[in-house]
Amino acid sequence: MVKRIAIFGSTGSIGTQALEVIEANADKFSAEILTAYTNDKLLVEQALKFNPNIVVITDERKYEVVKDALSNTQIKVFAGEKALNEVALMDSYDLMLAAIVGYAGFQPTLNAIEIGKPVALANKETLVVAGDIVMQKAFEKKVPVIPVDSEHSAIFQCLIGEGRNKIEKIILTASGGPFLGKKPNFLVNVKRDHALQHPNWTMGAKITIDSATLMNKGLEMIEAKWLFSLHPDQIQVMIHPQSIIHSMVQFEDGSIKAQMGLPDMKLPIQYALAFPQRLPNTFPRYDFKKPSTLTFEEPDLRTFRNLLLATDALYKGGNMPCILNAANEIAVFAFLRNKIGFLDITALVEKTMEKIDFIETPTLDEYLESDAEAREYAASLIQL
């Protein structure tokens, strides 16, 4: 049986690597649905190559271009955010790879779970925004949510076969990004292109900046809480510059399991698509002789205060992670357009968290309202 994959966000970093995995395992997977935000050129290329049943271009202005380019095929073309959410509700696929960046990936993911589709989750914002609602829905529908993030995939892999064994804590590893060891007087002058140079991983712009500010690790802490039903004090972050150990789980007997490998997103993507099987591949292997030394250190929370803000949001709960995420998306967007400085990202998030009303147990509508309010307020702080 060929597993039909719906790739929501097929033109991004995760989506393009997932298609490489599908191509290498054409007897096991097919690309059933491909969606893109604005990259019509790559979407058309992918569609002609993989012949999906459906493509969606979220930017409605690109609809005619995509439709014309695919007019000689059987591929159905849809456009707009509404179409994105509706296609997620169709019963024509077996697994959704949720790879849309940011908050935009939330609703389609929830829709997939709603109709009982397993989700390979590469969009951490979905759980940061409303993790309680998403995981509750997955529980009700008995739908697996398989993490694709390398850190959460590592924890997931460490937990296989552990069943009822109690987790004492998890240790999320972080490379430290391009500015490891730097102090605020250096970071104040950091520009976009410098921040986009990650030492170990090749990722999209948003997540690369989040890695540089350590916000990415903060969002991962919140995601881990929901994925693995953890208390905030069971989640620890360690800086591990070599990015060989992707994360660890410590059990109540003190034993620690780690998942290791070279930093390559194709591995957790393939694992999520094929789960519970492991598929052979030709990816490079880690050689213990190089790097032969693996090091660990505490994160510098005085310099990288985003991790502190995210930890506060994690402990406070309610709509606070949602506010944190919304403000951060606006701040990163502004930084990438050279509207604000690197350290302003943190200041903007902090001000927004102080300003927007806290709700302890929000409804879905209240989450959506908090998100909109936080974005509006964060945007108002930027001198455009």
Side-chain angles (χ1 to χ4, degrees), residues 59 145 167 170 300 352:
D59 185 345
V145 176
I167 299 170
I170 62 161
D300 175 1
T352 309

Side-chain angles (χ1 to χ4, degrees), residues 7 15-16 18-24 26 29-32 34 44-53 75:
I7 305 182
T16 49
L19 284 170
E20 288 175 36
V21 171
I22 289 173
E23 187 179 11
F29 308 117
S30 69
E32 180 69 14
L34 300 177
V44 166
E45 246 173 70
Q46 292 175 340
L48 291 171
K49 182 172 182 178
F50 289 92
N51 194 29
N53 182 15
I75 302 166

